[in-house]
Amino acid sequence: QQRRDVDLDFREARRPAEHPEPVRVAAAAHVAAGVHEHPHGLGVLGWATCFAKVQVDVAALLLERGARHHVFSAVAMGDAAAVRQVVEQDPSSLTRPMSRYENHRTPLHLAVSKGRHDMIELLLGLGADPLLGDKDGRTAVQLAASNGDESALAVFEAHGVATDVDAMPGTLFKDVIPILRVADLERSVRHYTDVFGFGLAWRDDGFASVQRNDVTVFLCQNGQGQPGTWLWIAVEDVDALHEEYRQRGANIRQAPANFPWGSREMNVEDPDGHRLRLASGATGDPDGVPLCES
């Protein structure tokens, strides 16, 4: 419930000014409690500033209630003094990546995506590296070229940055997260956390995200799919995981076995009939058993 309340508070930060009271309540609670964590890693102020639209009034309220700028919120709001202060206190802010959900973009990438030419100028003057790539290797210059932002390219050129670059396509595939249809979200969240060892990343009405290490799974109540979906997941040691799951009481449909395709696998089933097919490298010759699909 606490995790859900935190996520609702983060969403309130994106409400426009015509809905001030929920924002005011959320801001007071969030800032007073010092809660700033979320998978996006931008804090509640980031939710108000770094996404599709900068909610200036909401951000002002959060700052009034004690929120503090990070480099991304300062860039998004075009607050030059705040950017300088953040970078002076922590020069590594210039190279700080956003989360994987934002493709590990830097503050300079954000300035380009927001069309903040004044911030591009400022960040370059402070020493930001225009050739630093995001998760896909795309630089801020390439992003400006892909966006067709001639004004941004002119700023780069004025700083001696070559802008004769290939504009990387905007159709790159970035990530994949399976969405499993579940009948009872509360039950499924408990199962994935208590039995399968995932952590609850966030939860919304009828939807949740669970994560274990680098693997994320979305759970959707009564929507987006059908029971019986299979997920193949690479793990470090399937035998160690088998022992963990045995102790946790997981529904193990097939114990670890070596298969001809070079992996050692087991599979487990969740309350909705979805299967996690978990595999590490084979430890010997094939055991001669078929994959349990029944």
Side-chain angles (χ1 to χ4, degrees), residues 100 113 120 154 175 186 199 219 224 276 281-282:
R100 69 187 181 101
S113 67
I120 299 173
D175 207 349
E186 293 291 334
L219 306 173
Q224 301 188 28
L276 305 189

Side-chain angles (χ1 to χ4, degrees), residues 230 251-254 266-268 275-277 291-292:
W230 281 62
N251 182 8
I252 300 171
R253 300 301 304 273
Q254 184 167 35
M266 72 171 181
N267 67 74
V268 298
R275 294 279 189 100
L276 305 189
R277 183 176 161 186
L291 180 68
C292 176

Side-chain angles (χ1 to χ4, degrees), residues 102-113:
E102 289 75 46
N103 218 38
H104 294 164
R105 289 181 172 180
T106 67
L108 194 56
H109 286 93
L110 179 63
V112 171
S113 67

Side-chain angles (χ1 to χ4, degrees), residues 22-272:
V23 176
R24 190 175 301 279
V25 173
H30 231 297
V31 176
V35 179
H36 299 284
E37 294 304 321
H38 191 274
H40 289 272
L42 295 171
V44 67
L45 186 57
W47 274 75
T49 58
C50 295
F51 295 101
K53 181 180 179 181
V54 179
Q55 301 289 355
V56 177
D57 292 344
V58 175
L61 174 60
L62 292 168
L63 291 167
E64 174 189 318
R65 293 300 181 99
R68 298 180 62 185
H69 270 302
H70 46 66
V71 67
F72 298 111
S73 61
V75 166
M77 292 188 71
D79 190 330
V83 172
R84 289 192 181 95
Q85 182 179 24
V86 170
V87 173
E88 181 179 351
Q89 292 174 349
D90 181 9
S92 68
S93 295
L94 289 172
T95 57
R96 175 184 168 184
M98 301 179 88
S99 78
R100 69 187 181 101
Y101 300 105
E102 289 75 46
N103 218 38
H104 294 164
R105 289 181 172 180
T106 67
L108 194 56
H109 286 93
L110 179 63
V112 171
S113 67
K114 290 287 187 184
R116 299 286 331 200
H117 305 137
D118 55 338
M119 291 294 102
I120 299 173
E121 177 79 40
L122 175 59
L123 291 168
L124 290 173
L126 291 172
D129 184 355
L131 302 182
L132 193 63
D134 61 12
K135 188 172 70 173
D136 297 320
R138 183 186 308 202
T139 69
V141 180
Q142 288 175 311
L143 180 60
S146 297
N147 293 345
D149 191 338
E150 296 296 333
S151 296
L153 292 173
V155 176
F156 284 115
E157 289 177 351
H159 281 262
V161 181
T163 57
D164 184 18
V165 297
D166 292 329
M168 293 179 68
T171 55
L172 297 173
F173 281 30
K174 298 179 179 180
D175 207 349
V176 59
I177 300 177
I179 304 175
L180 302 181
R181 181 188 182 110
V182 301
D184 184 329
L185 186 64
E186 293 291 334
R187 179 187 67 177
S188 293
V189 167
R190 286 196 304 271
H191 192 87
Y192 273 80
T193 54
D194 296 346
V195 180
F196 288 166
F198 284 68
L200 177 62
W202 52 264
R203 179 166 52 190
D204 204 337
D205 295 333
F207 209 91
S209 172
V210 293
Q211 185 172 9
R212 179 161 178 166
N213 304 117
D214 294 330
V215 174
T216 298
V217 177
F218 286 164
L219 306 173
C220 180
Q221 183 161 305
N222 295 322
Q224 301 188 28
Q226 297 296 329
T229 299
W230 281 62
L231 308 183
W232 189 93
I233 302 174
V235 301
E236 184 177 24
D237 185 337
V238 71
D239 290 288
L241 187 63
H242 174 257
E243 178 60 22
E244 175 191 325
Y245 278 4
R246 188 186 65 79
Q247 294 183 19
R248 288 177 178 265
N251 182 8
I252 300 171
R253 300 301 304 273
Q254 184 167 35
N258 292 323
F259 290 95
W261 46 87
S263 65
R264 181 170 177 81
E265 302 185 15
M266 72 171 181
N267 67 74
V268 298
E269 186 172 317
D270 78 0
D272 292 278

